[in-house]
Amino acid sequence: MTKNITLSILLAIMFIIFLGIGLVIPVLPTIMNELHISGSVVGYLTASFALTQLIFSPVTGKLVDRLGRKVIIVVGLIVFSVSELLFGLGRATEWLFLSRILGGLSAALVMPAVTAFIADVTSIQTRAKAIGYMSAAISTGLIIGPGIGGFLAGFGSCVPFFAASVIALLIAVTALLALQEPERQAKTTPGGENSSRKLLQPMFLYAFIVILISSFGLAAFESFFSLYTNHKFGFTPFDIAVAITGGAVVGAAAQILLFERLTRKIGEISIVRWSIAVSIALVVMMTVVTTYWMIMLVTFTVFIGFDLIRPAVTTYLSRIAGDEQGFVGGMNSFFTSFANVLGPVIGGILFDIDLNYPFYFSALVLVAALAVTFFWHKEKPAVS
């Protein structure tokens, strides 16, 4: 199998995963109203997904290096299919929590495995482009997901989840039959060190701190965007789908057209720094705009910064990780999910007090992330 076909399958996997996640965005307010769920409970639902991902990511990252990329991807997709099915069937809060827990497990399995697989089939020179494509696949899933979710919700609020379950199962079968386990990258990091010691190395440490803090702030914003626009501006599922779709289109275009060029010109760390700064300004603007089209304009542009932070950090870590792509992918997922546990919970509590508070909180946390980037300096991987 050629590397292009392999990469296409991996991108399709990421697309399907985030398609399923995107499906819930426009119908979440409807489910919230049907089951009489408060903003705090929505925060706990999101946090249960992230908490499960947090617990299992360090383990699955090591399993990716030990058992192989392919088997972890297939198992993760099957678990994701089951989680979407349960969310569609669940008419009680307990079933929704079980669904999100399984969803978190699937993310902990798939994310580091796909990232490591991509690193194995690309070179240092082509990896930034591949990671950019992966992020674009994620954004495209979020583009189409809300649109499909808003359309399918017209046939019933549970229909989008049944569709995601079937598609995930089909892509799992495709991965099982079509993917071949890749050859591992040559070793480029010092051997003989345990995970905790590698974690404390500055070239890893500052990247993971930025992931933790920025994801914390982004989770508080992203988890409550649909509820915020629904409660404050009366957005319908269609309006929410349009807003998310427009933002994701712009974000995906930035990843495809700008990310590789910016990586070559200013480097990953500078991309992260400028993206956080732009995100702070636009998150604050979201709380002061009032007209429909101004809301849409801010929404379309706020995701540019969000969508460049993640691939920039991922590319940086993949470049310095050498043959420990699973470890780096697992720890990346670990810190992201740790932030996603606390961000939605605090955001949910603040949302019940005042609709604007989660966004103020998000902006303050992103300011802290911006400050950390000034201590983070570019380092080349050591060669053994």
Side-chain angles (χ1 to χ4, degrees), residues 90 92 154 172 196 208 264 352:
S196 60
F208 288 136
R264 290 200 308 265
D352 288 339

Side-chain angles (χ1 to χ4, degrees), residues 50 68 76 148 155 220 232 236 248 278 280-281 320:
I148 295 177
F155 300 96
K232 186 172 182 177
T236 65
V278 171
I280 292 168
I320 67 173

